[in-house]
């Protein structure tokens, strides 16, 4: 299992002690503003278990993010294969979700850069994508800081999200 280190962060496999702070951030309407809803404790634990299983199987995934010498769990950042079909799949995406109190420090971009480097250098991926709703400006800014670019021709309706204002998605791409 790969553990990644950056100047300030460790991206690592999850621990049981991550489940409480993960449930708290998944229950925060501000964190989940661009998703269909907040998650219950059970949904949050199920998601964490699925992420842990994927990391165990592949050696990489949506790592738990720890600040060195600071909070042991601030959220997740990493790589995942979208579990749905779209014009750009199969693909590997880079994604992130941090607790509100840890926004505004550059942690998401720093961790995502390490995940991207791992994807290109170790997995030798030809391309990494990222996606969100057009309104999720903070997330789009992370994508842009990472050098990812969006072509409006790639915009798509997310097949897992019901009809409504969150269905339309923008796609960002980065080539190796
Ligand atoms: C998307 C999300 C991860 C972005 O977090 P973020 O903290 O804004 O992103 P970054 O880590 O890139 O931090 C950048 C900010 O840190 C600031 N910053 C402070 N210290 C910094 C440092 N040492 N280095 C870099 N940036 C620093 C930057 O100025 C910038 O602030 P600004 O947005 O006010 O201009 C976060 O908003 C989130 O978890 N959202 C909810 C989940 C979500 O929507 N996920 C995406 C679904 S697709």
């Amino acid at each position: 299992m790969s553990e990644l280190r950056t100047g300030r962060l460790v991206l690592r496999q999850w621990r049981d002690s991550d489940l409480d702070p993960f449930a708290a951030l998944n229950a925060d309407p501000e964190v989940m503003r661009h998703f269909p809803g907040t998650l219950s404790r059970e949904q949050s634990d199920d998601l964490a278990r699925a992420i842990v299983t994927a990391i165990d199987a592949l050696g990489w995934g949506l790592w738990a993010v720890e600040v060195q010498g600071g909070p042991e769990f601030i959220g997740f950042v990493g790589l995942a294969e979208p579990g749905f079909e779209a014009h750009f799949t199969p693909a590997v995406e880079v994604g992130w979700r941090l607790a509100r109190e840890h926004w505004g420090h550059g942690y998401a971009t720093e961790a995502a850069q390490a995940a991207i480097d791992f994807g290109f250098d170790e997995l030798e991926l030809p391309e990494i994508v990222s996606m969100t709703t057009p309104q999720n400006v903070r997330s789009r800014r992370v994508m842009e800081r990472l050098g990812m670019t969006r072509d409006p021709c790639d915009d798509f309706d997310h097949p897992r999200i019901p009809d409504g204002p969150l269905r339309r998605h923008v796609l960002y791409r980065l080539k190796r």
Side-chain angles (χ1 to χ4, degrees):
M1 139 74 200
S2 308
E3 187 172 281
L4 308 183
R5 276 181 181 266
T6 71
R8 296 181 294 174
L9 307 170
V10 184
L11 282 66
R12 55 162 177 79
Q13 178 56 296
W14 294 55
R15 303 179 187 133
D16 287 347
S17 56
D18 300 332
L19 295 180
D20 282 352
F22 190 49
L25 75 85
N26 283 321
D28 179 347
E30 184 60 22
V31 171
M32 300 304 280
R33 176 189 290 259
H34 303 284
F35 295 88
T38 55
L39 300 188
S40 67
R41 176 71 202 222
E42 195 184 353
Q43 288 170 320
S44 177
D45 288 354
D46 286 349
L47 174 57
R49 261 190 289 275
I51 292 172
V52 167
T53 302
I55 293 176
D56 275 341
L58 298 170
W60 54 272
L62 296 171
W63 289 281
V65 180
E66 177 170 338
V67 181
Q68 294 178 36
E72 288 184 10
F73 179 85
I74 62 168
F76 70 68
V77 175
L79 303 173
E81 290 177 285
F84 57 85
E85 274 185 37
H87 72 275
F88 56 89
T89 63
V92 172
E93 68 174 311
V94 58
W96 36 73
R97 189 182 302 172
L98 300 185
R100 177 80 190 84
E101 63 268 31
H102 301 299
W103 297 4
H105 298 282
Y107 291 149
T109 300
E110 184 170 321
Q113 186 62 61
I116 286 173
D117 291 346
F118 178 87
F120 287 151
D121 298 345
E122 305 297 326
L123 304 179
E124 299 187 347
L125 301 170
E127 182 182 65
I128 292 173
V129 302
S130 196
M131 67 200 75
T132 190
T133 60
Q135 312 88 279
N136 194 345
V137 173
R138 273 190 171 269
S139 195
R140 293 181 63 172
R141 279 210 297 263
V142 177
M143 294 170 197
E144 285 157 15
R145 277 192 283 268
L146 293 165
M148 307 187 86
T149 54
R150 170 215 177 200
D151 181 341
C153 296
D154 276 329
D155 290 4
F156 68 106
D157 291 325
H158 198 300
R160 291 272 168 88
I161 296 181
D163 231 355
L166 298 177
R167 184 139 206 238
R168 197 74 186 153
H169 271 57
V170 291
L171 183 83
Y172 282 73
R173 297 179 187 260
L174 185 64
K175 302 244 184 263
R176 176 140 63 107

